[in-house]
Amino acid sequence: MTLARTRTASGPRDRRRLQRLTLTSSITGAVVVAVDGSVLTVVQPVMQRELHASFAQIQWTSTAYLIAVASLLVFAGRLGDRFGHRRVFTVGALGFAAASAAVGLAGSAVLVIGLRVLQGVFGALLQPATLGMLRAAYPSDRLAMPIALRTSAIGLAVAAGPLVGGVLAVQLGWRSVFFLSVVPALAVGLLVLLVRTPEAGTGAAAVRETGAPGVRTPERERTEDARGGLGLPGACLFAVCLGSLVHALVELPGTGWTAPTTLAVLAAAAAGAAFVVHERRAASRFVPPGVLRSVPLTASLAVLVSASAALFGTLFLGTYLLQHVLGLDPFRSALRMVPLAAVMVLGAPVSAVLQRRFGHRRTAVAGMALLALGILLTSRLDGQSTAVATSLAFLVVGAGFCPVMVTATAVVVREAPLGTEGVAGGLQQTAMNVGPALGLALVTMLMGVAAPGAGPGSAGGPEFTEAMGTALAVLAVPAALGALMALRLPGRTDGGRRPAA
């Protein structure tokens, strides 16, 4: 009886300690990745000039990373579900730190692109564990606020990253900004490695073993996908399909239907067909069967793809607008983008409250409509736009994207079958990387059609500015489609009820 009392007394303390460490690690890991992405956005025009790169090559410094991450996230999620999210998180964080330092030392655009692929591999290991650990440590009806805090931290990193990166780029050059992620990634990786805490999954396991009413047994919680393999063949086919598609979109305006472009299209089609066949026959699938059976979950992933495609395409062209059309340096251009990040920091907790009051569907639809409006406002900017006009446009973009990200992420995590928390996190992050990859490829293709030959010194003219306005206006279409897909989200929260696996 004494032993039983000791376990009962220590259990809540252990769970609270696990939750604090899990939330800290999750936020730090997400912030490291967010800082890297936001810093790269603000220095890309400078990189293009100093590396003598083409517009398409600079696009690949982002897209190559995104494709690597998107292809391996579900695989990494399965690694976390099987071997422990803490272990996978540690490898991802330490590897990400090393790869970031290597990018900062690279001497050519081609080498930067290759190292970004390597960085994406470690980023794939890092990202799904941040959500998988949260889902395992917190009850489903208490997930909204941890996810909102994580989103606020990401927004703060998005705000601080460009500002700090802009100062470093002006004072020390663009290479210095890639070292921003090295120290925090090393720190959190070593912290999780050296501090002995229960694996993230043990917190959920402890709850499931209590026999509380409505909680399923471990046997019922484990899906066929969780018992299967790691799904690496499907991940490779997905990478070939996505990479070939992006290559074809980027190269088509400049080269036309040449042999390389045609081969890229054929490779994308063949890999896509092989992926579909593999998904139908394989015991371990890239997309878990439970996902396809959940309309809210698939709708949430589609919303995240469309929203992130619209957002990152806007940020990519918006940076060129600020630096090449308006003539601002990286730091001053970062100041113009602060409202976008600030509204994400302040709006994430508000979005969690809106979910509970108005439901997922209304919150996400309103956010997508606001995102589309912000993109249209950005498309109207030109060389005579004032600081108020540019900042207002970015503020509306951020105010629209924030509730969409918080709401759709909450639905993904809540709707995923128990026992596959890492896969759920991997799917959410896959959507958040597929979207930007497609968005960047789309705007690069549109710019290639409207302003061919855009190189290190060609941006900023009237033709380039007009082409940017057209490309940005087109980006409002994915946002509008995302609003339609958001109509399939749950109307309101259900108190943590989970679908059967």
Side-chain angles (χ1 to χ4, degrees), residues 128 130-144 146-147 150 294 296-297 300-301 304 355 360 405-429 496-499:
T130 63
L131 280 177
M133 291 189 297
L134 283 181
R135 175 60 190 93
Y138 287 87
S140 59
D141 58 350
R142 293 179 56 197
L143 272 172
I147 291 176
R150 178 179 176 273
S294 173
L297 204 157
S300 297
L301 294 175
L304 288 172
Q355 286 180 58
H360 301 296
M405 179 180 176
V406 173
T407 302
T409 299
V411 174
V412 169
V413 177
R414 288 167 58 89
E415 293 290 329
L418 287 170
T420 59
E421 294 86 4
V423 174
L427 287 172
Q428 187 267 354
Q429 293 293 333
R497 182 169 52 86
R498 308 275 298 180

Side-chain angles (χ1 to χ4, degrees), residues 216 220 223 290 293 415-418 498-501:
R216 294 176 297 159
R220 293 182 61 189
T223 64
R293 292 194 296 265
E415 293 290 329
L418 287 170
R498 308 275 298 180

Side-chain angles (χ1 to χ4, degrees), residues 149-298:
L149 292 174
R150 178 179 176 273
T151 304
S152 293
I154 292 174
L156 183 60
V158 170
L163 292 174
V164 176
V167 172
L168 291 176
V170 171
Q171 300 295 326
L172 303 176
W174 66 266
R175 299 178 186 279
S176 61
V177 302
F178 286 97
F179 292 98
L180 283 174
S181 301
V182 174
V183 173
L186 281 175
V188 72
L190 293 174
L191 174 66
V192 175
L193 177 65
L194 298 177
V195 177
R196 303 301 300 176
T197 61
E199 285 290 351
T202 62
V207 174
R208 291 194 293 266
E209 291 171 358
T210 61
V215 178
R216 294 176 297 159
T217 62
E219 290 76 16
R220 293 182 61 189
E221 289 165 355
R222 295 188 179 276
T223 64
E224 176 184 351
D225 179 74
R227 293 193 302 266
L230 297 174
L232 186 58
C236 293
L237 289 173
F238 183 79
V240 173
C241 178
L242 183 59
S244 299
L245 177 61
V246 170
H247 176 76
L249 290 175
V250 171
E251 296 297 328
L252 184 60
T255 63
W257 287 102
T258 59
T261 305
T262 303
L263 287 175
V265 173
L266 293 176
F275 178 77
V276 172
V277 172
H278 176 271
E279 288 296 286
R280 289 180 176 178
R281 299 179 178 179
S284 179
R285 304 177 184 180
F286 184 83
V287 181
V291 172
L292 300 178
R293 292 194 296 265
S294 173
V295 173
L297 204 157
T298 54

Side-chain angles (χ1 to χ4, degrees), residues 355-370:
Q355 286 180 58
R356 292 193 294 269
R357 182 168 184 178
F358 299 106
H360 301 296
R361 183 187 306 133
R362 292 181 181 178
T363 304
V365 170
M368 292 300 296
L370 198 58

